Amino acid sequence: KESYFEKQLVPIGIIPTGEKEKIHIGSFIILRNVTAYKELDEAKTNFIATVSHEFKTPIASMKMSLQLLENEGIGKLNPEQKELVHSIYDDADRLLKTTGELLNITQVESGKSKMNIEFCEIKPIITQAIESTKNLAEQNRIKLELLIEENLPEVQIDKEKTAWVISNLISNAIRYSYENSSVRVEVKKTFDVVSISVIDSGLGISSQYKDKIFDKYFRVPGTDKDGTGLGLAISKEFIEAQGGVISVESELGSGSTFSISCSTNKLF
Ligand code: ADP
């Protein structure tokens, strides 16, 4: 059976030899056997993966039935019934999104998240991502804008995962914005890289949290929106696995710009 160890280097002593110089006079290594923790962690990951997988299909079929009801495919509804069906549909939609996030993070954690990288056009992927967030934008009274350079070269990406990341960044931008504002998606080429920026003029993020928001389950304290704190962690894993970079510029109270880069060169 495989065992796992965590290594810690502990310096024994330091002798100052000048104002800034110093020499280390040796160190020892502590090896901690973490096999039990690792097994427990894997069991947790497998459990979450199984449960979220089992949830996905029934929720998706619930959504389809609710849509049929709402569109009066089975019979007429009065306005109250219609509103109720619509609100259940929204809940089912959110549940499906959370289930998808949980499934994605478990796949990343267990190394089962296969990247399917190919050269392709970026425009259809952006359009698809914008389309998938249109309803959310309407509900939150946010205007979506797209500014894309002409004649962009093909990029080397996993299409499905990149579309997921862009749509996640746009839904964050919508959710963390004020009503009647705009969210702009900007796509441009700089040297060998196509960068996609999602710009909002919403809440913004204080500088002490800018790195932390990419950690699993981290949410800025006091956030009053529903969420799991998984979207950005998954986005970072997906973008870095295709050789890209994800970054954020933000000012508390003025808005945020999340950017991802996609290579136009052969990397893999
Ligand atoms: P979730 O949105 O489900 O909480 P994310 O991983 O997508 O999870 O985001 C982590 C946290 O980062 C959010 O809880 C929020 O506090 C902050 N955040 C993300 N995007 C934005 C944004 N565009 N503007 C302000 N805060 C944001």
Side-chain angles (χ1 to χ4, degrees):
K1 197 177 112 186
E2 246 184 299
S3 293
Y4 297 91
F5 292 93
E6 219 172 60
K7 202 164 73 180
Q8 191 186 355
L9 197 68
V10 186
I12 298 174
I14 294 168
I15 303 178
T17 51
E19 212 163 87
K20 279 188 184 150
E21 296 84 48
K22 56 189 179 211
I23 49 168
H24 291 263
I25 52 160
S27 42
F28 61 90
I29 292 172
I30 301 174
L31 282 181
R32 212 171 280 127
N33 189 334
V34 291
T35 314
Y37 294 116
K38 185 113 179 147
E39 281 172 356
L40 203 62
D41 198 47
E42 271 169 21
K44 177 212 75 182
T45 302
N46 286 340
F47 174 73
I48 298 176
T50 313
V51 172
S52 34
H53 188 78
E54 291 300 316
F55 276 16
K56 246 182 108 167
T57 319
I59 303 172
S61 90
M62 267 164 59
K63 265 184 70 180
M64 271 168 57
S65 310
L66 288 163
Q67 201 162 28
L68 188 69
L69 266 177
E70 194 185 352
N71 293 340
E72 303 184 325
I74 308 178
K76 262 204 118 22
L77 300 179
N78 67 37
E80 288 84 24
Q81 288 167 330
K82 212 167 172 165
E83 203 180 308
L84 192 64
V85 171
H86 185 77
S87 128
I88 309 173
Y89 178 88
D90 280 349
D91 286 342
D93 194 44
R94 215 169 42 234
L95 200 54
L96 194 63
K97 187 170 168 273
T98 306
T99 312
E101 283 185 351
L102 285 171
L103 202 57
N104 274 338
I105 201 79
T106 53
Q107 283 172 350
V108 166
E109 278 180 344
S110 60
K112 282 189 196 136
S113 173
K114 299 258 173 323
M115 298 299 286
N116 187 8
I117 295 174
E118 56 185 313
F119 270 109
C120 58
E121 264 186 72
I122 193 72
K123 197 170 174 176
I125 293 161
I126 310 256
T127 325
Q128 179 195 333
I130 292 183
E131 195 57 43
S132 73
T133 50
K134 252 190 180 142
N135 277 347
L136 186 71
E138 255 167 45
Q139 283 163 13
N140 288 271
R141 294 182 219 292
I142 301 285
K143 199 168 148 227
L144 290 179
E145 294 167 0
L146 172 63
L147 207 82
I148 183 162
E149 266 180 22
E150 290 295 318
N151 305 319
L152 286 168
E154 291 198 327
V155 286
Q156 201 184 21
I157 52 169
D158 179 311
K159 281 192 200 172
E160 213 176 290
K161 295 197 170 59
T162 306
W164 189 92
V165 172
I166 300 169
S167 123
N168 188 253
L169 294 180
I170 303 176
S171 23
N172 275 355
I174 296 171
R175 287 162 58 232
Y176 300 112
S177 278
Y178 306 107
E179 275 194 2
N180 301 316
S181 62
S182 305
V183 166
R184 195 166 75 245
V185 181
E186 263 183 32
V187 191
K188 57 178 182 236
K189 179 178 176 275
T190 331
F191 301 109
D192 293 343
V193 164
V194 169
S195 61
I196 302 145
S197 301
V198 179
I199 306 157
D200 68 64
S201 48
L203 271 61
I205 301 154
S206 129
S207 59
Q208 58 173 320
Y209 299 127
K210 265 187 221 165
D211 294 327
K212 288 217 174 85
I213 52 171
F214 294 99
D215 290 348
K216 262 184 302 177
Y217 304 108
F218 181 84
R219 312 197 67 222
V220 171
T223 302
D224 63 351
K225 302 272 169 185
D226 288 330
T228 56
L230 285 173
L232 288 176
I234 298 167
S235 300
K236 189 171 156 75
E237 292 279 352
F238 282 174
I239 294 303
E240 289 181 354
Q242 56 189 24
V245 177
I246 181 163
S247 59
V248 59
E249 276 172 46
S250 183
E251 207 165 310
L252 193 63
S254 319
S256 313
T257 299
F258 281 85
S259 302
I260 60 169
S261 66
C262 303
S263 177
T264 58
N265 281 333
K266 196 159 174 40
L267 288 175
F268 298 95

